[in-house]
Amino acid sequence: MTSAARPATRLAPSPAEPLAHQVLAALAQHRIATTSQLRRMLRPDGTRQVMSRVLNRLRSDGFVDCTVLPDANRSRTNAWYLTQEGARLTRDLPVLRGRPPYPITSTTAASLKTPHTLAVVRAHLAFAEDARRLGHEHGPWDWTPEVSHSIGEGERVVADALMYYTAAESERRRKLHAFVEVDRSTMSSGRLAAKLIEYARLFQYEAQPVGRRRQADQGPAWLRWYPVFPRVLFVLTGASRARLENRVSDLQAMTAQHPLVAALAREVRLAAAVLEDLEQHGPTQAMWVPLAGGRPRPWTDL
């Protein structure tokens, strides 16, 4: 995990770069992805066959491997990940500078990580495809999974992803950041809502310099990485609409009732939406429920 991430310098990979190199970098960045997800991420106008050829060649060379996803329709869907050798190759890539790759050592290990990791990639693709349609900037390297920050007392908050996004609107450009939490309804609603307390602690946390007195104007630790505290976006899936709405209500209750979270909500935009809605309509539609109350709105207008 990493405690900081670098924004991308361009919207999407250049077709002039070898696709095989981009695939290796994307798997180092996103951990696991299906053939279709990699195509949509790296070559949205390309064909599945081209991506499959590249992946099979990389597998033959020992740089990637895959696990087969269970499918009710009995069609074969491969989820790809880096091998130890593939991770070694990507360690010094410029787009991954400061972020070590995480090789997966077996098909069993991959199968344990796959459902959640693929859901996180689904969320990224919803934002990326919407950004491409609108002329905004958000590419494969603008989404960093598993970003970790200290919150004191030996504890850390780990976001499922940190998103960098530039909204190009008429004559102005807005640079937006967000911590993204992807919830597949596998944990209790109470544990999900408690994640808000961790972000509230990060908002207030001030690191204590070792062996030195803390300066009065040092400020919170998050200022080392962000000009403003990132929005916190919960993306929900894996349950009925009624159950997902109950989870949103529990997030709102935590925001209203916990003093640290209420203080966070006065300064930071907090919201929740359903993953399937993002995929069908795009994240910039009015579907994000503000956790501090109010009507649903686009995430860019929270």
Side-chain angles (χ1 to χ4, degrees):
M1 298 176 189
T2 182
S3 59
R6 298 169 61 89
T9 56
R10 57 177 178 265
L11 175 61
S14 166
E17 299 176 40
L19 180 56
H21 294 179
Q22 294 174 19
V23 168
L24 290 171
L27 290 177
Q29 178 87 349
H30 296 275
R31 311 290 189 249
I32 301 171
T34 66
T35 307
S36 174
Q37 287 177 331
L38 288 166
R39 181 194 63 76
R40 292 165 58 194
M41 186 186 302
L42 301 173
R43 290 292 188 274
D45 298 324
T47 65
R48 180 183 178 88
Q49 288 73 19
V50 169
M51 183 61 69
S52 293
R53 282 199 299 270
V54 169
L55 286 164
N56 287 326
R57 186 168 67 249
L58 289 171
R59 187 182 190 188
S60 296
D61 292 339
F63 299 137
V64 305
D65 205 345
C66 66
T67 182
V68 180
L69 302 182
D71 193 314
N73 297 322
R74 296 186 179 180
S75 61
R76 183 183 178 92
T77 300
N78 293 331
W80 299 88
Y81 55 91
L82 292 180
T83 63
Q84 293 275 5
E85 185 64 15
R88 185 188 65 79
L89 279 182
T90 62
R91 190 169 291 116
D92 297 322
L93 288 175
V95 295
L96 300 172
R97 189 169 293 129
R99 181 170 177 78
Y102 290 78
I104 294 172
T105 55
S106 69
T107 301
T108 300
S111 65
L112 293 173
K113 293 175 177 290
T114 296
H116 181 73
T117 304
L118 292 184
V120 175
V121 176
R122 285 173 60 192
H124 162 59
L125 289 173
F127 282 97
E129 291 170 350
D130 202 39
R132 191 178 302 120
R133 179 180 63 84
L134 295 169
H136 296 175
E137 297 178 15
H138 176 68
W141 325 126
D142 295 315
W143 181 275
T144 308
E146 299 176 23
V147 168
S148 170
H149 288 297
S150 173
I151 54 177
E153 302 178 3
E155 299 179 69
R156 306 186 72 83
V157 58
V158 183
D160 284 331
L162 170 67
M163 176 171 64
Y164 290 89
Y165 191 103
T166 300
E169 301 165 340
S170 61
E171 297 181 356
R172 68 170 182 160
R173 289 162 53 83
R174 289 196 296 151
K175 294 188 179 297
L176 306 173
H177 307 79
F179 292 123
V180 181
E181 292 292 329
V182 178
D183 170 55
R184 297 185 300 116
S185 303
T186 55
M187 69 172 70
S188 71
S189 186
R191 283 186 59 197
L192 175 67
K195 195 69 182 272
L196 282 166
I197 302 175
E198 296 180 9
Y199 283 109
R201 290 176 60 190
L202 174 61
F203 184 67
Q204 296 192 352
Y205 175 63
E206 296 186 15
Q208 302 296 320
V210 177
R212 292 185 297 158
R213 290 185 177 181
R214 185 179 66 84
Q215 299 179 359
D217 60 350
Q218 182 175 335
W222 59 263
L223 284 171
R224 294 177 57 190
W225 300 286
Y226 313 109
V228 297
F229 196 88
R231 298 157 194 245
V232 181
L233 305 178
F234 288 83
V235 178
L236 311 181
T237 188
S240 67
R241 180 69 59 163
R243 186 177 171 197
L244 295 180
E245 289 175 354
N246 288 338
R247 293 172 84 80
V248 173
S249 296
D250 289 344
L251 288 167
Q252 290 178 313
M254 178 66 78
T255 303
Q257 296 167 10
H258 194 286
L260 288 182
V261 181
L264 174 71
R266 287 193 289 270
E267 303 290 338
V268 177
R269 286 76 177 270
L270 315 174
V274 175
L275 177 55
E276 286 75 13
D277 291 343
L278 305 187
E279 292 176 318
Q280 183 175 355
H281 304 291
T284 50
Q285 297 301 308
M287 63 183 64
W288 293 89
V289 179
L291 300 188
R295 299 178 62 183
R297 63 197 69 179
W299 79 275
T300 50
D301 295 339
L302 291 170

